[in-house]
Amino acid sequence: MRIALITGATSGIGLATAEALATQNFKLILCGRRAERLQVLAEKLAVHTEVCTLSFDVRIHTEVENAIASLPTDWQNIDLLLNNAGNAHGLSPIQEGNIADWENMIDLNVKGLLYVSRAVLPAMIARRQGHIIHIGSLAGQEAYPNGNVYCATKSAVAMLGATMRMDLFKHNIRVSTINPGLVETEFSMVRFKGDTARAGKVYEGYTSLTAQDVAEVIAFVATRPAHVNIAELLLLPTDQAAATMVNKTL
Ligand code: NDP
Ligand code: 8X3
């Protein structure tokens, strides 16, 4: 059985991926800040597989290091790292940007991904075995108005995927980046700071992807034979052709 560590497993894509991998021969390390949610999910998935939880903030380097180091010995050989934790905070023209939102996105989407990767990689390299999957975004491939810092962080994720692949392939470690378009999760609630009406509008008038749609693809990427690496993948709702082209009926 392989061991998968999923960041951002308390909601959305991360939670759905935990559910998908639980029945595909993976033991799971579920991560996120909301410990209660992790516990509920762990209990639910325990009928399928072994699960452990780690509650930490990926933006804080010491928390990341301590959390990974705290894993029991038989959980330390992580085979799959899903760097999924991430969010947008705000949607404003650059000249009106909220500095705290910028720091939050850069710390979470870029530095957090780096901290977790750095903590997990030594054991993968020692075993010459591992797979890192980053969740990027269409927003990292294409700009959209007011997306500025979020788009930049997701562009950084794509570039980190490409460069990490160059650093790690000689160690037999796969690096994949999956770039979804619009997915209905808690993402817009976080972006709009709990404004349910504004968040709901993002997904009105067309059929967005679900977290389960993305999770199925992640599980497919994670279960290819060892010699196959799906390096980059763009996954869109049929109703979306580009970042700013959504077939809305409203
Ligand atoms: P959600 O808001 O539903 O999930 C975000 C997850 O990230 C939560 O589990 C949250 O857990 C975790 N997280 C947030 N901040 C931190 C932190 N500081 N430390 C640790 N974990 C954190 O959104 P999605 O499921 O949609 O987002 C998952 C990924 O998918 C993100 O990287 C996002 O950018 C990307 N994405 C989303 C798209 C969409 O349309 N929804 C499209 C393309 C990409 P907790 O709060 O408990 O810590
Ligand atoms: C999330 C998709 O279009 O809201 O990455 O930025 S979008």
Side-chain angles (χ1 to χ4, degrees):
M1 216 177 226
R2 292 200 285 156
I3 298 178
L5 185 148
I6 301 173
T7 66
T10 57
S11 72
I13 294 168
L15 188 155
T17 305
E19 290 179 329
L21 294 183
T23 55
Q24 301 208 34
N25 234 18
F26 282 94
K27 287 167 51 168
L28 300 174
I29 304 168
L30 307 177
C31 308
R33 291 166 302 173
R34 288 170 287 183
E36 268 181 33
R37 285 196 184 197
L38 291 176
Q39 208 41 51
V40 170
L41 183 61
E43 280 164 25
K44 181 178 170 195
L45 298 183
V47 295
H48 300 298
T49 189
E50 286 178 62
V51 184
C52 83
T53 62
L54 285 180
S55 180
F56 62 94
D57 187 328
V58 299
R59 295 169 301 179
I60 302 173
H61 183 231
T62 49
E63 280 196 24
V64 174
E65 290 284 335
N66 291 340
I68 303 297
S70 76
L71 283 167
T73 319
D74 54 339
W75 284 91
Q76 279 180 3
N77 289 337
I78 294 164
D79 300 288
L80 172 67
L81 164 61
L82 178 64
N83 274 320
N84 163 76
N87 273 124
H89 293 278
L91 183 72
S92 322
I94 197 76
Q95 66 275 19
E96 292 168 18
N98 176 308
I99 304 291
D101 283 346
W102 292 358
E103 310 263 25
N104 207 349
M105 288 187 279
I106 293 166
D107 288 353
L108 169 60
N109 300 346
V110 183
K111 291 165 71 178
L113 173 148
L114 284 168
Y115 295 158
V116 180
S117 301
R118 185 68 182 82
V120 165
L121 271 167
M124 285 186 172
I125 288 173
R127 296 167 62 228
R128 288 192 57 77
Q129 185 173 317
H131 191 174
I132 298 182
I133 301 179
H134 299 317
I135 302 302
S137 173
L138 173 62
Q141 315 285 300
E142 278 183 37
Y144 59 81
N146 304 324
N148 44 65
V149 176
Y150 179 68
C151 293
T153 63
K154 288 299 180 177
S155 188
V157 170
M159 190 53 79
L160 282 170
T163 56
M164 284 170 68
R165 200 158 40 246
M166 292 177 176
D167 296 339
L168 295 170
F169 82 105
K170 287 189 179 152
H171 299 278
N172 197 38
I173 293 168
R174 291 182 277 186
V175 181
S176 308
T177 306
I178 298 176
N179 297 308
L182 287 154
V183 192
E184 184 165 5
T185 61
E186 294 179 11
F187 179 87
S188 292
M189 280 290 284
V190 174
R191 165 168 258 174
F192 298 124
K193 305 179 196 308
D195 182 339
T196 41
R198 199 169 173 202
K201 277 202 168 54
V202 175
Y203 309 107
E204 273 176 15
Y206 72 102
T207 307
S208 64
L209 294 171
T210 64
Q212 288 72 24
D213 294 327
V214 184
E216 276 178 26
V217 171
I218 295 169
F220 181 79
V221 170
T223 54
R224 291 313 84 211
H227 67 286
V228 177
N229 183 24
I230 298 178
E232 288 171 12
L233 195 151
L234 178 65
L235 178 67
L236 299 178
T238 306
D239 277 340
Q240 182 174 32
T244 52
M245 289 182 72
V246 181
N247 201 15
K248 286 206 178 205
T249 54
L250 294 175

